Structure formats: C-alpha cells, structure tokens
Amino acid sequence: MDTSVKNLIVEKIKSSKIGQVDFDNLPFGDVFTDHMMVCDYKNGSWGTPKIIPYQPLTLDPSARVFHYGQAVFEGMKAYKDDKGQAWLFRPDENFRRINKSCVRLAIPEFPEEYFFDSLKTLLRLDVEWIKPGEGNTLYVRPFVIATQPGVIAAPSEEYKFMIICSPAKSYYGGEVRVKIAEKFSRAADGGFGFAKAAGNYAGQFYPTKLAKEEGFQQIVWTDSSTHEYIEEAGTMNVFVRIGDKLLTCPTSDRILDGVTRKSVIALARDQGIEVEIRPIKVAELLDATKNNTLKEMFGSGTAAVINPIQGFGYKGDKYELPKVENSYASRFKKQLTDIQYNRSEDKYGWRYKI
C-alpha cells in the first residue's frame, strides 16, 4: 500500500468558537477545538485524510463498534512554551502503540505519514487553543472505530480514524487515596489489557464507583489469578518507593506500556536511582508500611503526568504515606514538565516540534 499523503484535504471553520471558551474553568475533556481529522478505511485501504470543522458523526445503528467494541484510542498532549512555540511529547510512542492496539483488535494499522502529516496540520490550524503557562495543555485524542453496518460477529471491513483535541488544565487536584482491589481485576493473561481499547476502560467504571463510595479516588488493580500483586493505579502505571529504591511492575498482556512510565524510568536511572521492574506484592507494601520504609506511591500517565498517592485502603484498613520532602514524584514531574514546556534541555529527543 502506498503510504504517501498525496492530498491532505483541509476544510477550515468559517468562524472560530474559541472566544466563547472560559480557559480558566475547563472541565477535563468537555470542550473541543474548531477542527478534527477524519480518515476512512474502505475496500482494503485508508482513504485521504481530511481536516474538517469539528462536528457530530452520522453512523448506522448497526455499526460494528456499537455491538462488538472494535475501538482503540490514544492520548497525548500539546504544550506551548513562553515563546509561543508548540510541542508534543514523544508522539512516536503513541503512534506505535495505537497501531499495536489496532493489531490486537483486528483493525488495520494506520500509515505513519498519514498520522504525522494530519496531526501537525490539525495542531497548526488550532494552535491558538494551546495556551502557554504551567498546567495548560491541549489534550489530543486519536482513535479508531469500526463503522461497517451489520451485526454479524466478525471484524469490520470499514473503519474511521479520527483525531480530536480538547484544551485542558491540570487533570487531578487535591490529595488522592486509592483502594487496592481485592476482587476486581483490570485485565487477564492472554487478553488485551496492554491495548488502549475502549472496553478496557468501560470495565473499570463499576469497581471505581464502589471505591469512590468508600471515600477513595481511584483503584490500584491487582492480578486476576491471585489478587496478590498490584498492577495499575486507575488508568495510570504505578510506582512505589521503598527506601530509596523505585519499583514498578513489568508490562505484560495486562499492563499498559505507558509513555510517561518509560520516561520516569529513564530519568530515574540517569540520576543514579535504583529502579526495579518486577512484580510487587501487596504484602510487600504492607510490610514496608509497618517498618516505615514505604516512602512514596505515585501514578504516571499522560493526563496527570505524575499523581502522588497519599494513602491506600486494603481489606478494611487504611494506610497513610509519610510527607516526603524532595519527593521522587515532585522531582520527576518537574523534570518532565520542564522538557514538555521547553524550559530545559531535552537530551533524550522527546520533544516534537509542531
């Protein structure tokens, strides 16, 4: 298949709605920019990508996505530095991962040149929606859905690849306490927990609802076989600091290969921090709590970057983590955001100029 973008079609909005937006009070993911990208897969190939005004879709009620859940997505952020230049953070990782997710759900992979040409064109058109200043970002959501009509239980032969964008401020606020799951699991061996599939997230809502009713903000998932090992924190990868050692779970069929996760690991190792990537037992956390060696827990992900965990609940008991000066969580968040906002050197080549 020819993967060159011969004709990227652009249809600009007649009048921007940006003046109607209160950028100081933005609920996460509720407001969207003027344009979006759409590209259709039919007759065995991807068509011409189009940048068009943001608008609703018209889909047949029997479209496969509604019945068999063929849908995957990604999440990344665009940042604007103090000079007005806009940047992405490691979008090559997001591109690789969405295609990895596509393969697992029998969706055709999207061509790399289509992805990056469309992404840059879209963000340049809506660049005024990317506001400078700490915490201000543009959340970018590429996704694919199965659009072929018909309720036969088989992979679709038609798809729609889209990119939409939403201006955002900090994702989380306040202190976060989590419940360690005793019964529910996010994913199982041989499944598709490693993919950013829509169904993975739908399955989290009910257990998270129950945890919130108990006063927690999120769940730390445990493995499906024994519920003895922690896996992810809500929709984030989880890190644990015991003493001065940083622990995180290995990626697998069940655990997402997070872009922020691998960035934290690289930063930590470069600073001489011992990092262990291995299974972490709940019992190990409890023992570390008792002997005062559990210093920190935090989640990492695109939306929150780094989210410190102040305490956790397990089997009816609640545990508080100590207040740590110069915490790993605050250090890594500053280092990552300094790279993202172009405030520091990027020796890793993670910044991507729009």
Side-chain angles (χ1 to χ4, degrees):
M1 179 172 59
D2 184 1
T3 60
S4 63
V5 180
K6 293 182 173 63
N7 294 293
L8 176 63
I9 298 170
V10 178
E11 179 189 342
K12 294 183 181 179
I13 196 83
K14 291 179 181 178
S15 177
S16 177
K17 60 191 176 189
I18 193 169
Q20 304 166 25
V21 177
D22 180 0
F23 282 90
D24 293 325
N25 297 286
L26 282 173
F28 185 83
D30 281 4
V31 176
F32 295 90
T33 64
D34 290 324
H35 300 89
M36 64 185 190
M37 187 279 276
V38 59
C39 187
D40 291 309
Y41 182 91
K42 291 184 179 181
N43 302 316
S45 65
W46 288 102
T48 303
K50 300 176 183 178
I51 308 294
I52 61 174
Y54 187 91
Q55 59 193 264
L57 301 177
T58 300
L59 292 176
D60 194 288
S62 67
R64 302 280 174 91
V65 65
F66 298 137
H67 303 273
Y68 304 111
Q70 267 188 296
V72 300
F73 68 93
E74 268 300 323
M76 62 183 88
K77 283 182 175 180
Y79 306 82
K80 188 171 282 184
D81 64 24
D82 292 338
K83 297 178 181 178
Q85 176 61 54
W87 306 84
L88 288 165
F89 182 74
R90 308 189 74 176
D92 53 323
E93 295 285 349
N94 298 98
F95 169 73
R96 281 193 286 270
R97 194 170 61 185
I98 198 168
N99 273 345
K100 185 178 178 182
S101 298
C102 283
V103 168
R104 182 61 180 84
L105 270 73
I107 297 171
E109 295 177 75
F110 197 64
E112 183 173 3
E113 192 169 351
Y114 280 34
F115 181 83
F116 282 99
D117 282 7
S118 301
L119 181 61
K120 285 188 289 185
T121 302
L122 175 62
L123 293 177
R124 285 170 182 170
L125 267 181
D126 286 344
V127 71
E128 294 305 313
W129 291 79
I130 311 172
K131 298 300 182 183
E134 186 70 32
N136 295 324
T137 60
L138 185 70
Y139 186 78
V140 182
R141 169 57 61 89
F143 64 102
V144 192
I145 58 172
T147 54
Q148 183 183 7
V151 294
I152 183 172
S156 177
E157 295 180 3
E158 297 178 3
Y159 298 88
K160 195 175 289 288
F161 192 109
M162 302 185 65
I163 305 176
I164 57 177
C165 304
S166 177
K169 298 185 78 67
S170 297
Y171 188 58
Y172 292 109
E175 295 187 344
V176 172
R177 287 170 177 79
V178 298
K179 180 178 181 180
I180 296 179
E182 302 163 39
K183 173 184 176 183
F184 296 104
S185 295
R186 179 183 174 275
D189 288 332
F192 52 92
F194 68 89
K196 285 188 77 72
N200 282 339
Y201 294 78
Q204 297 189 47
F205 294 152
Y206 175 66
T208 304
K209 173 179 175 288
L210 296 180
K212 287 182 176 179
E213 289 171 356
E214 295 181 40
F216 300 100
Q217 285 73 47
Q218 277 291 358
I219 286 181
V220 169
W221 304 100
T222 49
D223 70 288
S224 59
S225 300
T226 66
H227 296 288
E228 292 180 2
Y229 296 89
I230 65 170
E231 300 212 319
E232 291 192 357
T235 57
M236 301 178 290
N237 296 113
V238 63
F239 285 86
V240 175
R241 176 184 173 186
I242 296 179
D244 289 331
K245 187 184 299 182
L246 193 62
L247 313 178
T248 193
C249 315
T251 56
S252 65
D253 286 346
R254 307 182 308 275
I255 297 176
L256 190 72
D257 186 13
V259 178
T260 311
R261 171 189 177 275
K262 57 180 68 174
S263 304
V264 168
I265 292 169
L267 289 173
R269 285 179 166 164
D270 273 4
Q271 293 163 51
I273 295 171
E274 185 178 355
V275 180
E276 288 189 2
I277 302 173
R278 61 169 175 80
I280 305 168
K281 277 194 169 185
V282 178
E284 186 176 359
L285 292 184
L286 299 178
D287 288 343
T289 301
K290 292 172 184 174
N291 61 32
N292 297 317
T293 56
L294 179 61
K295 303 298 183 185
E296 293 182 70
M297 291 177 65
F298 57 88
S300 69
T302 297
V305 186
I306 301 290
N307 201 83
I309 295 169
Q310 301 298 332
F312 65 90
Y314 183 64
K315 291 190 174 179
D317 293 321
K318 294 184 177 180
Y319 304 85
E320 287 292 302
L321 274 73
K323 303 288 185 182
V324 179
E325 290 188 14
N326 303 315
S327 67
Y328 286 177
S330 60
R331 182 195 304 185
F332 297 140
K333 183 166 186 175
K334 183 178 188 307
Q335 290 169 344
L336 286 171
T337 55
D338 280 351
I339 292 172
Q340 290 164 343
Y341 286 97
N342 193 26
R343 293 190 297 246
S344 68
E345 178 191 1
D346 175 21
K347 68 176 183 179
Y348 304 98
W350 290 341
R351 263 194 311 264
Y352 179 89
K353 192 173 184 180
I354 296 169

